[in-house]
Amino acid sequence: MRVVVADDVMLTREGIVRLLKDSGIDVVAEAEDANSLLRHVQLTQPDAAIVDIRMPPTHTDEGLVAAQQIRAEHSEVGVLLLSQYVEPSYAMRLLQEHPERVGYLLKERVFDVAILVDALRRLADGESVIDPTIVSRPRGPPTPRRPARRAHRARARSSRPRR
């Protein structure tokens, strides 16, 4: 598998590259910003790109925008987005536009090489990969019924006879 790694933090980027190479993944290019990522993807035609969401110059969503462009122009290239923060809206934006070969993981997970390599292999197989933290978060604002249900369950537990 051929991969491009894009992260503006050199230590993070090099750490990911090292883990991948030690696992037999061919890292064909490294990028520190979205423009060089796009250029490397065009030149090397990798199987996947690992992309930090927040990249220079504004550190907002340049990585996400580059990922969207990669998926639009190179549909055969899988994109694994990385974020330091749980940002479900970013993952959903990309999944809604291109639901296959797209992944979103928290950066803390990628240093477990088994999780990282599994995510890349799943992208190569055309699947989507979403960090379990994002999936387990409740969708939308809490409703008035949720606290009521919790209170009802708590009362039910407290009224059970103890053994």
Side-chain angles (χ1 to χ4, degrees), residues 38-88:
L38 294 170
R39 195 168 44 256
H40 287 306
V41 167
Q42 180 69 33
L43 293 172
T44 64
Q45 296 295 305
D47 299 305
I50 299 174
V51 183
D52 182 17
I53 286 179
R54 297 180 179 204
M55 297 183 76
T58 68
H59 295 279
T60 55
D61 66 350
E62 283 86 354
L64 176 63
V65 171
Q68 290 170 314
Q69 188 172 340
I70 291 168
R71 292 298 300 135
E73 296 174 6
H74 307 277
S75 61
E76 72 285 357
V77 177
V79 175
L80 181 60
L81 289 168
L82 303 181
S83 180
Q84 193 168 354
Y85 310 100
V86 176
E87 302 176 63

Side-chain angles (χ1 to χ4, degrees), residues 62-142:
E62 283 86 354
L64 176 63
V65 171
Q68 290 170 314
Q69 188 172 340
I70 291 168
R71 292 298 300 135
E73 296 174 6
H74 307 277
S75 61
E76 72 285 357
V77 177
V79 175
L80 181 60
L81 289 168
L82 303 181
S83 180
Q84 193 168 354
Y85 310 100
V86 176
E87 302 176 63
S89 63
Y90 286 161
M92 297 315 295
R93 253 172 67 188
L94 191 58
L95 280 169
Q96 286 172 347
E97 294 174 17
H98 306 282
E100 65 286 327
R101 297 186 194 280
V102 173
Y104 181 100
L105 290 178
L106 292 177
K107 281 187 178 182
E108 65 193 45
R109 299 231 194 271
V110 301
F111 293 105
D112 180 336
V113 70
I115 291 173
L116 178 59
V117 171
D118 177 63
L120 290 171
R121 292 196 197 296
R122 289 173 58 197
L123 293 179
D125 289 341
E127 296 180 36
S128 296
V129 178
I130 302 296
D131 195 286
T133 307
I134 293 171
V135 176
S136 67
R137 290 184 63 148
R139 293 184 180 167

